[in-house]
């Protein structure tokens, strides 16, 4: 940094800031109106709903070398820290239109096949690449209910069920077609009127029956329905 004319106090301050791993501490430096910190806060809030908060850390020193990123960037590592980065990527809102495509925000990443293969083999998790089947599909009526759908899917996955969480907002007909395509027999739908009562709708697609169930009772309801 001295080569580009920065003085040592400035360099030391930069290095100090890059070691911050707390959003509140960073907010004191960049201010409350930071769009970047707002996006990061939203990401960590959603990670709570998805049950992934313990897998994320804020690292101000992460830098991606490509200039087309417009938002959050990230890198993924094995939790033991034994391997080099498995993947890296970020948000880019202008990339497609830069190359003549339509204006479409996107998130992408790349990873090394050697690293991911080594990790999967060490954990005995190398997939067989058989066609996936999910007995349960979970969806939300609109984007505001996605965190609830994510929480429902996480609870079912923790109970051992394979769950396909639909991230897009789809019409009922589209969800049913999706469920048929992945072999799902049950659909958990988070809808506004039901969620106001603290329940979600569980539909048995084979029997064409549905019931309202609380999130806390969701696992036992589907255990009974799928194994009974």
């Amino acid at each position: 940094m001295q080569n580009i004319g920065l003085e040592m106090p400035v360099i030391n301050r930069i290095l100090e800031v890059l070691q911050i791993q707390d959003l509140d501490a960073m907010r004191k430096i960049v201010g409350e109106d930071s769009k970047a910190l707002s996006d990061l806060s939203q990401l960590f809030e959603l990670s709570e709903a998805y049950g992934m908060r313990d897998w994320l850390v804020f690292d101000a020193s992460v830098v991606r070398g490509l200039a087309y990123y417009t938002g959050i960037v990230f890198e993924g590592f094995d939790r033991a820290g034994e391997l080099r980065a498995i993947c890296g990527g970020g948000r880019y809102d202008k990339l497609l239109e830069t190359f003549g495509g339509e204006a479409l925000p996107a998130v992408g990443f790349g990873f090394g096949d050697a690293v991911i293969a080594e990790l999967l083999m060490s954990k005995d998790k190398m997939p067989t690449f058989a066609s996936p089947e999910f007995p349960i599909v979970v969806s939300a009526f609109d984007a505001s209910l996605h965190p609830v759908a994510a929480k429902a899917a996480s609870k079912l996955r923790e109970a051992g069920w394979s769950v396909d969480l639909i991230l897009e907002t789809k019409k009922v007909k589209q969800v049913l077609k999706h469920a048929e395509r992945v072999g799902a027999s049950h659909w958990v739908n988070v809808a506004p009127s039901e969620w106001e009562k603290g329940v979600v709708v569980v539909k048995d697609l084979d029997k064409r029956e549905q019931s309202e169930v609380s999130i806390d009772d969701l696992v036992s309801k589907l255990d009974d329905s799928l194994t009974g």
Side-chain angles (χ1 to χ4, degrees):
M1 290 189 229
Q2 287 178 306
N3 292 337
I4 61 174
L6 295 182
E7 297 181 354
M8 282 308 300
V10 176
I11 294 173
N12 290 333
R13 182 56 172 160
I14 291 173
L15 295 176
E16 179 184 340
V17 170
L18 291 178
Q19 294 177 22
I20 292 175
Q21 294 187 326
D22 179 77
L23 290 182
D24 289 334
M26 185 62 77
R27 190 172 284 109
K28 293 177 181 178
I29 296 173
V30 302
E32 294 288 340
D33 297 330
S34 168
K35 175 66 165 57
L37 279 181
S38 176
D39 289 346
L40 284 164
S41 296
Q42 183 182 39
L43 171 66
F44 280 93
E45 288 171 7
L46 288 172
S47 73
E48 290 278 4
Y50 278 85
M52 299 188 303
R53 178 61 184 87
D54 290 343
W55 295 85
L56 299 183
V57 295
F58 170 63
D59 186 347
S61 68
V62 172
V63 177
R64 304 296 298 168
L66 301 174
Y68 53 68
Y69 289 112
T70 59
I72 295 171
V73 293
F74 57 85
E75 291 180 345
F77 295 84
D78 64 294
R79 201 156 200 177
E82 296 173 348
L83 304 173
R84 64 183 186 274
I86 298 169
C87 67
R91 176 70 177 248
Y92 38 83
D93 289 349
K94 305 290 185 181
L95 182 62
L96 296 181
E97 60 183 295
T98 298
F99 290 98
E102 62 178 303
L104 184 67
V107 173
F109 67 93
F111 64 88
D113 55 352
V115 181
I116 193 66
E118 183 178 351
L119 180 62
L120 290 172
M121 287 188 290
S122 70
K123 301 295 183 182
D124 196 25
K125 296 292 186 180
M126 184 64 78
T128 61
F129 301 105
S131 297
E133 288 195 359
F134 299 92
I136 305 167
V137 164
V138 179
S139 69
F141 179 82
D142 58 35
S144 68
L145 294 171
H146 283 171
V148 182
K151 183 178 180 180
S154 295
K155 278 185 170 288
L156 292 167
R157 287 167 177 161
E158 289 170 2
W161 290 109
S162 294
V163 178
D164 190 1
L165 173 62
I166 299 176
L167 299 176
E168 306 95 336
T169 301
K170 293 179 178 285
K171 295 181 179 178
V172 171
K173 187 175 181 180
Q174 293 173 313
V175 174
L176 293 175
K177 284 185 176 180
H178 181 93
E180 182 179 3
R181 186 166 63 250
V182 300
S185 61
H186 287 71
W187 171 27
V188 177
N189 183 30
V190 184
S193 56
E194 284 78 13
W195 185 242
E196 285 182 2
K197 299 182 290 184
V199 297
V200 297
V201 177
V202 176
K203 185 163 187 174
D204 187 321
L205 300 175
D206 294 331
K207 296 180 181 178
R208 298 179 181 273
E209 298 174 351
Q210 70 179 45
S211 57
E212 296 181 355
V213 183
S214 70
I215 291 286
D216 290 338
D217 295 331
L218 188 58
V219 171
S220 59
K221 169 65 177 177
L222 285 164
D223 280 348
D224 292 342
S225 184
L226 286 161
T227 61

